[in-house]
Amino acid sequence: MDVQETTAACRDAFAELASPACIDDPYPFLRWLREHDPVHRAASGLFLLSRHADIYWALKATGDAYAFRGPAPGELARYFPRAATSLSLNLLASTLAMKDPPTHTRLRRLISRDFTMRQIDDLRPSIARIVAARLDGMAPALERGEAVDLHREFALALPMLIFAELFGMPRDDMFGLAAGIGAILEGLSPHASDPQLAAADAASASVQAYFGDLIEGKRTDPRHDIVSMLVGAHEHDADTLSDAELISMLWGMLLGGFATTAATIDHAVLAMLAYPEQRHWLQGDAAGVKAFVEEVLRCDAPAMFSSIPRIAQRDIELGGVVIPKNADVRVLIAAGNRDPDAFADPDRFDPARFYGTSPGMSTDGKIMLSFGHGIHFCLGAQLARVQLAESLPRIQARFPTLALAEQPTREPSAFLRTFRALPVRLHEHAG
């Protein structure tokens, strides 16, 4: 694709990202946008930021009285014109990611009270057991020389099974709910069509009804799971989440942590196959595995841009462009993660840039943006990292000769870099 020629008169980056060329490989266009139109005004009036420094500042400044805020309840129709008739958009507006302090502070505290690092680390044995079981299930077909769809059999299945355990749900129920997650995510994209939004609303209604019943069940018969903890009484804290707040929270957690984790697992396996010289990071200490995981997240952010509006609280000038007060601003995460001003030789896959550092921080002190930053930093970041850290070394050890059986098939989504199929086989049976 001749990026310079096709984008010289780009009027809408969202439309360009939905093109077949960008679905296949968005990074040439993202590089052009970052270099030529880093504060892009889309046809809809949204502003899209693509430089790492601008994105990092916007994420950090969200919630600041002089920078960005979420849309107020009375403004929902302005920023989401179809919200009056859309359940999905109303659920999105009620999520933690759309709230500002002090409401955000209260809700974040209540969820963080139970959804702790220790709670997630306690899941490690369960995650390791589920990973081993999924690999055991794939092994016979692979050893017979057959192709297996790793996306369906592993990348999709793992987060579904983990969420079922985390929420205290029957596995079959989770598989049923997960079938509609893709439709909801597509409906929430700024360029979604009316049929896509209708499909999202139908799926959201099912999720909402199920979680309402689940909450009531946990209230009468609590177990050792996150939903039971969130609805339970806390002796030293009289404040609790209402059922509506909790349903919104669970809906948001499911949307934010299911398809994105599956996509990152797929990208991690593709990185293992494309860069065999880098597999040694998965055969050593935990710091090496962590470095490999962080570099996968940087190179292929599962979400291309933020679905959450950031509303300018004043006229803001970035790179010579004035973003007017009350404008809706989104950040192009995937572009920021490959900004050469933040990460040297950004198109090169190099886990060394994250070795021995804090999670998400490079050896140069730059922040990987895939989990966001600031007050809306992803609540499920640690859960996603644990799933990847428990999966990749086991895949490498169990199937060291894994290879592509044919080229993977991507979903035609401008928002998420997800897959329909990732066929693999063992190398001795390939070709």
Side-chain angles (χ1 to χ4, degrees):
M1 179 179 74
D2 188 337
V3 177
Q4 183 72 27
E5 184 176 301
T6 58
T7 59
C10 177
R11 295 180 180 177
D12 191 354
F14 290 112
E16 186 69 28
L17 288 169
S19 70
C22 277
I23 297 298
D24 181 58
D25 180 8
Y27 297 106
F29 171 67
L30 296 182
R31 180 169 57 250
W32 184 94
L33 196 68
R34 191 174 55 239
E35 293 173 354
H36 295 88
D37 193 8
V39 184
H40 171 79
R41 189 180 189 277
S44 62
L46 274 66
F47 284 83
L48 196 56
L49 310 183
S50 54
R51 289 184 299 208
H52 184 280
D54 293 340
I55 295 169
Y56 177 77
W57 175 77
L59 294 174
K60 190 174 181 179
T62 298
D64 187 311
Y66 297 100
F68 298 101
R69 59 175 175 80
E75 297 178 311
L76 191 59
R78 175 177 179 179
Y79 297 104
F80 297 97
R82 294 175 289 181
T85 57
S86 170
L87 172 63
S88 297
L89 291 175
N90 276 276
L91 283 169
L92 178 66
S94 66
T95 58
L96 181 64
M98 295 280 277
K99 302 299 183 184
D100 293 320
T103 303
H104 174 275
T105 307
R106 170 185 169 264
L107 293 175
R108 183 103 185 186
R109 182 184 68 81
L110 291 176
I111 186 71
S112 299
R113 179 181 60 186
D114 295 307
F115 193 53
T116 62
M117 297 280 279
R118 180 176 178 180
Q119 174 85 5
I120 294 167
D121 282 336
D122 286 347
L123 279 173
R124 278 186 183 269
S126 296
I127 293 173
R129 171 176 46 79
I130 293 169
V131 167
R134 298 309 301 182
L135 298 181
D136 286 345
M138 293 166 56
L142 288 172
E143 291 164 358
R144 289 194 300 268
E146 299 173 14
V148 172
D149 183 358
L150 186 137
H151 172 68
R152 184 184 71 247
E153 299 298 329
F154 189 87
L156 274 180
L158 179 64
M160 280 193 276
L161 294 170
I162 299 305
F163 269 111
E165 194 136 331
L166 184 69
F167 290 173
M169 294 168 50
R171 290 183 171 188
D172 288 346
D173 289 2
M174 178 55 74
F175 277 84
L177 288 186
I181 297 302
I184 297 174
L185 289 169
E186 284 305 303
L188 295 177
S189 178
H191 62 275
S193 66
D194 288 341
Q196 285 176 314
L197 188 55
D201 288 343
S204 287
S206 297
V207 173
Q208 183 185 49
Y210 183 89
F211 281 148
D213 292 341
L214 182 68
I215 290 166
E216 190 57 37
K218 298 299 182 182
R219 186 169 284 122
T220 58
D221 184 21
R223 303 294 177 91
H224 188 66
D225 57 70
I226 188 68
V227 181
S228 294
M229 293 179 185
L230 289 169
V231 302
H234 289 263
E235 182 179 348
H236 302 294
D237 192 346
D239 195 6
T240 59
L241 292 164
S242 69
D243 284 6
E245 289 171 335
L246 184 49
I247 288 172
S248 171
M249 194 81 69
L250 296 175
W251 180 86
M253 288 172 67
L254 192 60
L255 259 63
F258 162 59
T260 51
T261 300
T264 305
I265 292 171
D266 286 331
H267 282 125
V269 171
L270 287 174
M272 291 167 58
L273 303 184
Y275 311 109
E277 74 280 3
Q278 302 289 3
R279 291 187 184 186
H280 66 90
W281 295 101
L282 301 175
Q283 299 167 340
D285 58 8
V289 176
K290 171 254 175 193
F292 191 96
V293 168
E294 298 299 310
E295 182 67 344
V296 170
L297 286 160
R298 183 196 69 83
C299 276
D300 279 295
M304 297 294 291
F305 52 84
S306 61
S307 61
I308 304 300
R310 287 170 173 80
I311 311 304
Q313 303 222 56
R314 57 179 174 82
D315 288 356
I316 296 171
E317 183 177 347
L318 288 175
V321 176
V322 175
I323 300 173
K325 182 179 180 179
N326 293 325
D328 182 345
V329 179
R330 311 292 176 100
V331 295
L332 248 176
I333 297 163
N337 276 344
R338 293 211 187 189
D339 187 339
D341 288 341
F343 303 102
D345 197 3
D347 294 328
R348 178 168 57 94
F349 185 82
D350 182 16
R353 69 177 93 236
F354 290 106
Y355 186 73
T357 65
S358 301
M361 180 175 289
S362 75
T363 53
D364 294 329
K366 299 297 185 180
I367 298 294
M368 182 270 297
L369 302 168
S370 296
F371 291 124
H373 190 63
I375 66 171
H376 294 309
F377 181 78
C378 177
L379 272 170
Q382 178 65 4
L383 180 60
R385 284 177 164 131
V386 169
Q387 291 180 73
L388 288 156
E390 293 295 325
S391 298
L392 302 183
R394 288 177 170 84
I395 294 172
Q396 164 64 16
R398 184 69 183 271
F399 304 123
T401 63
L402 199 69
L404 281 177
E406 56 186 84
Q407 286 301 307
T409 305
R410 291 190 179 273
E411 291 285 358
S413 170
F415 174 47
L416 289 176
R417 293 273 290 161
T418 53
F419 294 81
R420 284 183 176 172
L422 179 54
V424 296
R425 60 172 15 118
L426 299 185
H427 190 309
E428 55 265 32
H429 299 293

